[in-house]
Amino acid sequence: MGDRAPDRGDAALMMDLERHRVELTGYCYRMLGSGFEAEDAVQETFVRAWRTFDTGRGPLRPWLFHLATNICLDMLRGPQRRARAMDLTSPATPGAELGPPLPPDRWIHPIPDDRALDPADQAVAKETIRLAFVTALQNLPPRQRAVLILRDVLKWTAAETAALLSTTVTSVNSTLQRARARLPAPVPPAAEVDESLLARYVSAFERYDVETLVALLHEDATMSMPPFTWWLRGRASIRAVLLAADSPCAGARLVPVRANGSPAFAQYADGKPFALDVLDIADGLIKDTTTFLDPGLFPLFGLPMSLPPAFRTEG
């Protein structure tokens, strides 16, 4: 349909809004670090667009991003930023207590790939929605964050970005330079994940085969479990903790999903939602496992709230 500007009240307006939902959700997610908040921001964007858009404003897409940016900036006025456990504490030693959980608004949350990545752009854009990158974005002041996402992720020109933010091209270029300086060096696009690696992971996890699980990890792999700040670094530490546990995941069932451009699994215990595990894979091994202990994420991923429990097997 192109970027035509429908009249307000036109029956086709909702279809035009929906056409931009995935791109807007990805933008708002990178800004906010929460799939739930991103969807709320997009819904509010659509409400405001329905009330305010007219053809005199020009194409619909820039107006939607203008509204979404202002909504996100308003939502980011709070004093705290979302983070991962690695940004909050030093790695725990085996045997350390989990400690008290932090409230949900302190954490980077996952998002399904199909909610935030356009299928045509996934090969390029998935690196910019990984948990580590989204976490790094949260370290930027909100306007720097918006400029960097618009320019480096969505590939808007400096002039387009300046018009959206009601500022100058010089200001946009200066802000982008400062934002880039605060981010870590870009990570090269990851290779396609070896499906046999994921199959071995699922088999070992469901059998609680610690030695096989550990063999699939990088030497300096990390493991965390939001909402706890407790996290581990290193294959040896992870092995020690898994061996000391009383086979808590034996008999669990993993259902594959995609989150943040990465392979992920919904974990069911006794047929009930328990956690969402997001894996970061590099060089054919698992580099990071983030286990979100929040069954409330399951509806966001379109997952059922019950499954028949898996039969426990030996070996």
Side-chain angles (χ1 to χ4, degrees), residues 193-217 221-224 238 242 249 252-256 263-267 275-281 284-292:
V193 174
D194 181 359
E195 293 298 327
S196 66
L197 170 70
L198 299 181
R200 295 195 303 274
Y201 174 81
V202 170
S203 175
F205 189 100
E206 293 183 346
R207 292 180 291 111
Y208 205 71
D209 179 351
V210 172
E211 297 304 334
T212 299
L213 281 173
V214 171
L216 300 177
L217 302 178
T222 54
M223 182 173 73
S224 59
I238 294 173
L242 293 179
C249 300
R253 183 172 175 185
L254 298 185
V255 175
F265 295 93
Q267 181 182 343
L276 188 82
D277 303 323
V278 181
L279 309 184
D280 186 11
I281 296 176
L285 292 171
I286 298 170
K287 183 179 179 181
D288 174 76
T289 302
T290 306
T291 299
F292 293 92

Side-chain angles (χ1 to χ4, degrees), residues 4-314:
R4 78 171 186 83
D7 295 327
R8 187 159 65 100
D10 187 334
L13 177 56
M14 187 55 68
M15 291 180 60
D16 285 334
L17 294 176
E18 287 296 332
R19 186 166 55 87
H20 296 285
R21 181 180 290 276
V22 172
E23 184 183 33
L24 283 168
T25 302
Y27 173 63
C28 293
Y29 176 71
R30 294 178 181 96
M31 287 289 293
L32 301 170
S34 164
F36 293 115
E37 288 192 354
E39 294 204 330
D40 287 346
V42 172
Q43 198 58 38
E44 178 62 21
T45 297
F46 285 178
V47 170
R48 294 188 189 183
W50 187 266
R51 292 172 178 168
T52 64
F53 183 73
D54 62 62
T55 55
R57 297 188 185 278
L60 176 61
R61 182 171 179 262
W63 181 242
L64 289 175
F65 273 89
H66 168 78
L67 294 173
T69 299
N70 287 338
I71 290 166
C72 288
L73 292 177
D74 285 343
M75 293 173 72
L76 290 168
R77 295 189 188 281
Q80 292 182 330
R81 64 178 178 87
R82 293 181 179 272
R84 300 181 73 196
M86 298 77 151
D87 303 302
L88 301 174
T89 62
S90 299
T93 57
E97 296 292 328
L98 290 179
L102 294 186
D105 61 2
R106 293 299 312 277
W107 297 104
I108 296 290
H109 291 173
I111 193 169
D113 282 10
D114 60 5
R115 298 287 185 101
L117 292 176
D118 188 313
D121 299 329
Q122 281 198 22
V124 175
K126 69 180 183 180
E127 301 303 321
T128 69
I129 207 166
R130 294 201 188 279
L131 290 172
F133 184 80
V134 175
T135 302
L137 287 175
Q138 309 311 301
N139 291 312
L140 300 177
R143 284 184 69 86
Q144 283 189 21
R145 199 180 310 174
V147 168
L148 186 133
I149 297 168
L150 290 166
R151 293 283 286 112
D152 284 358
V153 177
L154 300 179
K155 306 303 180 185
W156 287 46
T157 67
E160 290 170 335
T161 304
L164 183 144
L165 296 174
S166 301
T167 187
T168 65
V169 169
T170 299
S171 176
V172 165
N173 289 335
S174 176
T175 300
L176 178 62
Q177 186 176 16
R178 294 196 302 274
R180 285 173 174 169
R182 295 184 61 168
L183 284 183
V187 177
E192 288 299 315
V193 174
D194 181 359
E195 293 298 327
S196 66
L197 170 70
L198 299 181
R200 295 195 303 274
Y201 174 81
V202 170
S203 175
F205 189 100
E206 293 183 346
R207 292 180 291 111
Y208 205 71
D209 179 351
V210 172
E211 297 304 334
T212 299
L213 281 173
V214 171
L216 300 177
L217 302 178
H218 271 271
E219 186 65 36
D220 62 347
T222 54
M223 182 173 73
S224 59
M225 296 194 309
F228 300 99
T229 58
W230 175 98
W231 66 283
L232 298 171
R233 180 187 295 281
R235 185 187 292 167
S237 292
I238 294 173
R239 179 178 182 274
V241 168
L242 293 179
L243 286 174
D246 186 22
S247 301
C249 300
R253 183 172 175 185
L254 298 185
V255 175
V257 292
R258 292 285 306 184
N260 295 81
S262 301
F265 295 93
Q267 181 182 343
Y268 291 81
D270 295 324
K272 299 177 182 178
F274 180 72
L276 188 82
D277 303 323
V278 181
L279 309 184
D280 186 11
I281 296 176
D283 303 321
L285 292 171
I286 298 170
K287 183 179 179 181
D288 174 76
T289 302
T290 306
T291 299
F292 293 92
L293 299 172
D294 182 5
L297 292 168
F298 281 50
L300 181 66
F301 283 79
L303 290 159
M305 297 305 287
S306 65
L307 279 184
F311 290 106
R312 183 168 181 173
T313 59
E314 301 299 331

